[in-house]
Amino acid sequence: MTESRDPVISDAASAPDDRAWWALLERRHDAAIPVTGSPLWELYGALCQAHRHALAKGSFAVAHLAQSLDGRIATLSGISQWVSGDEDLLHTHRMRALADAVLVGVNTVLLDDPQLTVRRCAGANPVRAVIDPERRLDGSQRIFRDGAAPTLLFAASDRARSGDALGHAEVVPVPRGPFGLDPQEIRRVLARRGLTWLFIEGGGITVSRFLATRALDRLQLTVAPLIIGSGRPSLALPEIEDLASGLRPSTRRFVLGNDVMVECDFDG
Ligand SMILES: NC(=O)c1ccc[n+]([C@@H]2O[C@H](COP(=O)([O-])OP(=O)(O)OC[C@H]3O[C@@H](n4cnc5c(N)ncnc54)[C@H](OP(=O)(O)O)[C@@H]3O)[C@@H](O)[C@H]2O)c1
């Protein structure tokens, strides 16, 4: 058996007062941030550097999904806790801590009622955002009531007016396009508010729409050794005729406990 050369993040994923993580957080806007030296710097240092470079074009967007071996992110009824292990959960909290804004689709808020805050590592809570074009959310969910971070609700412009609110959240109207609300426009709206690093945390429909509109710089797919056999799909894109039309981005791989995360780079 050959030994894996993929960086292993699991042993860095433990203590909440992890000094290396603090050091990285402090240097996340530093042009000379290290991108080698340990798996932590290799994974997150490179993302910080990519964010800096992306500022020239406006913003940086990274999506993440944890999926089973058979490409599912949840059961059909919507249970997704938990597909991946503790190391990947810590990773998502670290991604939140690095990002300016974290975004999910309306189904995720309805089914999970997530807080979208940073709790498993050090770091500030990002601005929270949800795409709810038809205004299906009623304001009873935690992100609208807990006041833990500023919260935005993107709704179709025929369903909302600037200045509307839902609980603590500001409602932001966005015009409809071929893939629903235009992900590129959502990125522009966030960038105009100074939110230049966007972390899209699911679910599959939301990430797929960002991917379909070329609105992702990176896509992180954590594959867990689990077969669900049915359930909500990870990515779903329009049909292609042949494999030459498939996407073949350059990738990096990281071992996260029992899971493997493949990070796709769409800028390269
Ligand atoms: N394993 C993981 O990593 C992970 C992560 C997050 C969530 N989850 C699970 O995934 C499930 C939810 O995922 P999902 O794929 O069903 O749904 P989702 O992505 O959470 O939400 C999809 C809905 O959001 C709205 N939406 C998203 N992007 C839009 C756009 N660009 N324009 C217009 N509308 C947009 C649409 O609402 P309308 O239908 O109203 O048009 C769409 O149907 C839950 O079970 C959750 O637990 C798993």
Side-chain angles (χ1 to χ4, degrees), residues 11 68 91 94 115 142 177 220 248:
D11 54 355
S68 59
H91 167 70
R94 284 176 166 162
Q115 298 174 73
R142 288 192 283 191
Q220 299 175 336
R248 287 194 197 270

Side-chain angles (χ1 to χ4, degrees), residues 66 73 78 80 107-108 112 133 136 181 201 203-206 209 232:
I73 58 166
S80 64
N107 290 351
T108 296
D112 295 357
R136 292 199 275 141
L181 309 191
E201 217 180 290
I205 294 171
T206 302
R209 290 187 185 184
R232 293 184 183 240

Side-chain angles (χ1 to χ4, degrees), residues 26-41:
E26 278 172 10
R27 296 192 64 183
R28 70 186 189 279
H29 297 302
D30 183 345
I33 187 167
V35 296
T36 56
S38 78
L40 202 74
W41 291 104

Side-chain angles (χ1 to χ4, degrees), residues 67-210:
Q67 65 178 55
S68 59
L69 290 170
D70 53 335
R72 308 291 174 172
I73 58 166
T75 64
L76 278 176
S77 62
I79 298 169
S80 64
Q81 292 174 0
W82 301 103
V83 172
S84 55
D86 278 350
E87 290 81 359
D88 186 56
L89 293 176
L90 173 62
H91 167 70
T92 59
H93 281 241
R94 284 176 166 162
M95 292 298 295
R96 289 177 187 173
L98 289 172
D100 299 314
V102 58
L103 178 141
V104 293
V106 56
N107 290 351
T108 296
V109 175
L110 285 170
L111 289 160
D112 295 357
D113 196 11
Q115 298 174 73
L116 302 175
T117 51
V118 179
R119 302 183 304 282
R120 290 179 179 243
C121 64
N125 294 333
V127 169
R128 304 175 292 193
V130 54
I131 306 181
D132 179 13
E134 311 302 337
R135 305 288 303 267
R136 292 199 275 141
L137 295 168
D138 62 7
S140 64
Q141 295 79 12
R142 288 192 283 191
I143 57 170
F144 302 115
R145 296 185 302 132
D146 65 10
T151 303
L152 303 172
L153 185 146
F154 290 106
S157 46
D158 50 277
R159 297 270 177 154
R161 281 177 312 189
S162 294
D164 285 356
L166 183 66
H168 294 309
E170 176 187 346
V171 178
V172 182
V174 177
R176 294 181 194 267
F179 287 91
L181 309 191
D182 180 4
Q184 298 279 11
E185 177 58 16
I186 289 171
R187 281 181 64 164
R188 282 191 289 272
V189 168
L190 292 170
R192 281 198 292 271
R193 293 167 181 245
L195 307 172
T196 58
W197 183 328
L198 174 61
F199 180 47
I200 302 135
E201 217 180 290
I205 294 171
T206 302
V207 172
S208 298
R209 290 187 185 184
F210 271 77

Side-chain angles (χ1 to χ4, degrees), residues 4-11 87 253-261:
S4 167
R5 294 167 60 90
D6 297 332
V8 177
I9 300 293
S10 53
D11 54 355
E87 290 81 359
R253 285 193 307 261
F254 297 90
V255 175
L256 301 173
N258 289 328
D259 308 326
V260 175
M261 184 178 78

